Amino acid sequence: MLTGVTYTRKARDGDSREHSYRVTRCHRNPYHRLWKPGVDVVAYPDTGKFGYGNLVTCGSTWHCPLCAPKITEYRRAELAAGAARVIGQGGEIVMMTLTYRHDADMRLADSLDAFYTARDKFFSCRAVKETMRQVEAMGRVYSTEVTFGANGWHPHLHVLVLCEKRRDDLVDRLETLRGQWSRAVMKSGLGKINDHGFDVRNGDYAAEYIAKYGHEPAVFAWSAAHELTKGHVKQGRGGNVTPFDLLGVLATGKSVSIGNREIGPDDASDLFREYAIRFQGRQQLVWSKGLRDKLGIQAERSDEEIAEGDGERDVIGTLTLDEWRMVLGYKNGRGQLLAMLGKHGRSALPWIIESLKKAKPNHPDEPWFSEEKKFVGY
Ligand SMILES: [Zn+2]
């Protein structure tokens, strides 16, 4: 998917270095291990499912259809716990949505930084700070999302404002900040906002948003990544698609129509690259400073830690590096092996491996495979 794609990041010494995306190695490259080289096949007693161990997990919410659902589900549970606490203490949560007007010719490269600048200008301006004080906001949670539609990329920011007390005029008070957002967008070079550029909704919407958070990418773990290759391409709301939907176009080879455009695999690939580069390194969900402490929500775990998981697992076997390379030689071989284990049980592992050895690889150009040292980073 992102083979050969690199991004540039400034190092501490000021030099820019090229890095390859860690997602290209996710659930693919084993870690170097002296005592028992290879890839573990594991069973999760809690769920009865199977998976792999000793593999790189990229922990990218933006790029990885395998890691993203795990991370967003964890983040959603945290958010729901925080929200429950606010409501339980007699508070209320309001949801603001901020965006700007974009058209099909606008590149993400030109608009995304400006959008973040507008956000910072907005939240640091005096009127906004004063209003937040008046509504007794305990803090905010920011969630950046992006879809692609007839008018090009549509980045938008949902801001949950967690208020100490329930009061009738919360939405109206926050509504008064439309002018401030409009000015911040204008000053950041993104032109005039339209009606949809600024939106404030009450607690019911905030609750619905939290409940659905992270369910947008319609891909869950291996089984559903499987589904993605079977031709499931979901249309986003209002004819917009999500970046993972674009991956679906790539996986199935089936175009999707967006506005009056047919997006085929080549376009989808270009668009996903544009998105991947621009969102690399950004945080998807951000809690304002001190909010976690106020709500007694535990210290933050990194996306990578969440993606690695800490559930109980039994190692039921270890594939040698050659065997693993063989699995990678089949299209969706990793998913298929797990599906076969699910069907025939853990004792079937040895014969599954034997039958793999007899079959003919149908994905022999598997491009990347190497062992890596743990914690090398990007
Ligand atoms: Zn990943």
Side-chain angles (χ1 to χ4, degrees):
M1 165 183 54
L2 286 169
T3 330
V5 177
T6 56
Y7 64 96
T8 314
R9 195 167 60 181
K10 261 205 170 118
R12 284 218 183 95
D13 56 18
D15 278 354
S16 292
R17 300 222 173 89
E18 293 269 295
H19 300 269
S20 72
Y21 286 86
R22 202 174 154 99
V23 68
T24 60
R25 313 198 284 282
C26 183
H27 285 81
R28 174 184 313 275
N29 283 12
Y31 284 120
H32 179 66
R33 189 169 63 179
L34 274 179
W35 61 278
K36 199 178 190 188
V39 175
D40 296 331
V41 181
V42 300
Y44 300 99
D46 292 353
T47 57
K49 290 191 171 156
F50 297 94
Y52 298 110
N54 197 38
L55 287 178
V56 170
T57 31
C58 74
S60 171
T61 37
W62 303 114
H63 304 146
C64 184
L66 293 176
C67 291
K70 289 185 206 159
I71 298 161
T72 48
E73 181 49 31
Y74 182 92
R75 299 279 181 226
R76 190 199 59 73
E78 267 187 338
L79 200 53
R85 241 159 255 185
V86 173
I87 305 296
Q89 292 166 9
E92 171 81 299
I93 301 169
V94 188
M95 186 166 98
M96 298 169 89
T97 300
L98 307 175
T99 185
Y100 56 91
R101 233 165 62 172
H102 45 88
D103 57 54
D105 299 328
M106 218 180 227
R107 314 286 303 172
L108 264 184
D110 302 327
S111 56
L112 197 62
D113 285 340
F115 181 48
Y116 280 103
T117 307
R119 175 199 69 179
D120 295 344
K121 270 194 209 302
F122 176 74
F123 283 105
S124 59
C125 90
R126 221 177 47 208
V128 174
K129 283 184 170 165
E130 178 56 24
T131 305
M132 291 295 165
R133 202 185 52 77
Q134 284 169 4
V135 301
E136 294 177 83
M138 306 164 76
R140 298 182 289 268
V141 180
Y142 306 88
S143 166
T144 309
E145 294 184 2
V146 63
T147 53
F148 183 83
N151 293 321
W153 287 108
H154 171 50
H156 46 287
L157 182 71
H158 297 298
V159 186
L160 298 169
V161 183
L162 288 71
C163 305
E164 201 107 32
K165 293 194 192 97
R166 212 163 288 151
R167 30 196 289 182
D168 294 336
D169 63 347
L170 281 178
V171 170
D172 293 342
R173 279 192 179 251
L174 290 171
E175 265 287 352
T176 63
L177 299 174
R178 169 179 282 272
Q180 262 73 28
W181 175 243
S182 167
R183 266 191 292 283
V185 168
M186 185 77 94
K187 275 191 195 158
S188 308
L190 291 170
K192 264 191 155 144
I193 62 166
N194 60 16
D195 275 359
H196 309 295
F198 183 86
D199 180 71
V200 185
R201 302 285 173 109
N202 68 18
D204 294 342
Y205 285 90
E208 197 187 330
Y209 178 75
I210 294 169
K212 285 189 183 157
Y213 175 76
H215 293 184
E216 203 59 50
V219 276
F220 276 87
W222 289 105
S223 55
H226 209 142
E227 218 173 85
L228 192 132
T229 60
K230 280 196 286 180
H232 173 79
V233 177
K234 192 178 68 126
Q235 284 274 350
R237 271 170 299 181
N240 283 18
V241 293
T242 66
F244 286 133
D245 291 331
L246 293 172
L247 285 188
V249 172
L250 268 177
T252 59
K254 283 184 195 161
S255 320
V256 59
S257 53
I258 298 172
N260 50 15
R261 239 180 114 181
E262 277 289 298
I263 304 287
D266 286 347
D267 291 328
S269 167
D270 287 347
L271 287 168
F272 194 83
R273 277 167 200 257
E274 183 188 7
Y275 152 83
I277 291 164
R278 293 298 147 196
F279 280 88
Q280 166 69 27
R282 296 188 192 272
Q283 251 189 302
Q284 205 272 326
L285 197 75
V286 181
W287 294 52
S288 62
K289 221 171 145 192
L291 180 60
R292 282 174 179 275
D293 283 347
K294 274 187 203 161
L295 295 172
I297 302 293
Q298 61 172 325
E300 196 166 358
R301 294 175 71 193
S302 72
D303 287 348
E304 201 184 322
E305 280 167 340
I306 297 166
E308 291 215 8
D310 55 3
E312 206 185 309
R313 56 175 86 176
D314 303 331
V315 176
I316 60 168
T318 299
L319 304 175
T320 64
L321 293 178
D322 280 343
E323 285 165 348
W324 182 242
R325 200 169 311 186
M326 224 167 50
V327 173
L328 294 176
Y330 295 93
K331 209 164 183 192
N332 199 26
R334 292 165 291 172
Q336 276 179 28
L337 194 151
L338 299 183
M340 281 167 89
L341 279 173
K343 197 168 165 197
H344 303 288
R346 61 171 72 189
S347 58
L349 184 60
W351 75 253
I352 294 174
I353 296 170
E354 283 313 307
S355 58
L356 265 176
K357 283 179 187 166
K358 286 178 205 135
K360 199 171 174 293
N362 58 3
H363 195 218
D365 302 329
E366 175 61 34
W368 335 273
F369 175 80
S370 69
E371 273 185 277
E372 37 188 288
K373 289 201 173 95
K374 204 162 185 174
F375 305 126
V376 160
Y378 287 93

